[in-house]
Amino acid sequence: MTGTGPGRQRPLLFLDVDGPLIPFGATPRQYPDGYPTYHSGSGPQAAAANPLLARIDPAHGPRLGALSCELVWATTWMDDANECVAPWLGLPDLPVVLWPEESDDEEERRGLHWKTRPLVDWAAGRSFLWVDDEVTDADRAWVATHHRGRALLHRVDPCHGLTGADFAALAEWLREG
């Protein structure tokens, strides 16, 4: 059991950017006026150089920060997530998962996401949540077999990004821990 008492580590929350924070792929029927855009008082000037950042709801920052877990960037944005996204959300610099070189792994060819193994390795048995728009049942099955701690692999609909229902599911899983 993982909690926040003495000697216990909080669960990790591996967070992707594209899809969960920056929604994409919706049809004009879903968003006839285009995606909502936001302004952030804490975003750096460099954020203006990437128009997709305006799709990130800055209210997600306090909601993520309020979760009883340790946030970790699990995104191809790598360190750019700390330079652009974290300030936009009002978050401090977060640890960043460094991805291995491409592999020719048989399990990945059968549907295992390329992030799955590195995230399980990073967690090293610690409880974790993985928030991504590409999580599949193959990833869930692999983690259930290869990870000794609790894990929630939570798929976010990339057309809408994180929603209140997603935050509720994450908070519920953390409460159950």
Side-chain angles (χ1 to χ4, degrees), residues 10-13 15 61 64-65 67 69-73 91 94-95:
R10 296 184 312 162
L12 299 164
L13 189 154
L15 182 60
L64 288 164
L67 295 171
C69 57
E70 181 182 326
L71 300 173
V72 178
W73 292 121
L91 295 173
L94 304 175

Side-chain angles (χ1 to χ4, degrees), residues 35-95:
Y35 278 103
T37 57
Y38 305 90
H39 299 284
S40 173
S42 30
Q45 292 298 335
N50 186 332
L52 293 179
L53 288 177
R55 290 187 187 176
I56 300 175
D57 183 349
H60 289 338
R63 291 183 87 175
L64 288 164
L67 295 171
S68 57
C69 57
E70 181 182 326
L71 300 173
V72 178
W73 292 121
T75 175
T76 56
W77 281 64
M78 307 283 288
D79 289 324
D80 289 342
N82 279 326
E83 288 181 35
C84 298
V85 181
W88 184 268
L89 292 169
L91 295 173
D93 280 1
L94 304 175

Side-chain angles (χ1 to χ4, degrees), residues 98-168:
L98 300 177
W99 305 116
E101 295 297 317
E102 282 188 44
S103 73
D104 191 25
D105 184 271
E106 179 64 29
E107 286 180 313
E108 288 178 19
R109 286 195 300 269
R110 287 184 280 156
L112 187 68
H113 195 284
W114 60 269
K115 289 181 181 178
T116 306
R117 284 178 191 248
L119 294 180
V120 168
D121 289 346
W122 179 289
R126 189 168 166 187
S127 294
F128 73 86
L129 305 100
W130 175 20
V131 177
D132 202 305
D133 60 304
E134 297 181 343
V135 169
T136 67
D137 288 339
D139 302 304
R140 289 183 184 96
W142 196 91
V143 169
T145 302
H146 295 89
H147 180 66
R148 66 183 180 273
R150 288 179 72 232
L152 173 66
L153 281 63
H154 184 79
R155 184 185 180 280
V156 172
D157 182 342
C159 293
H160 306 291
L162 282 167
T163 65
D166 294 310
F167 280 105

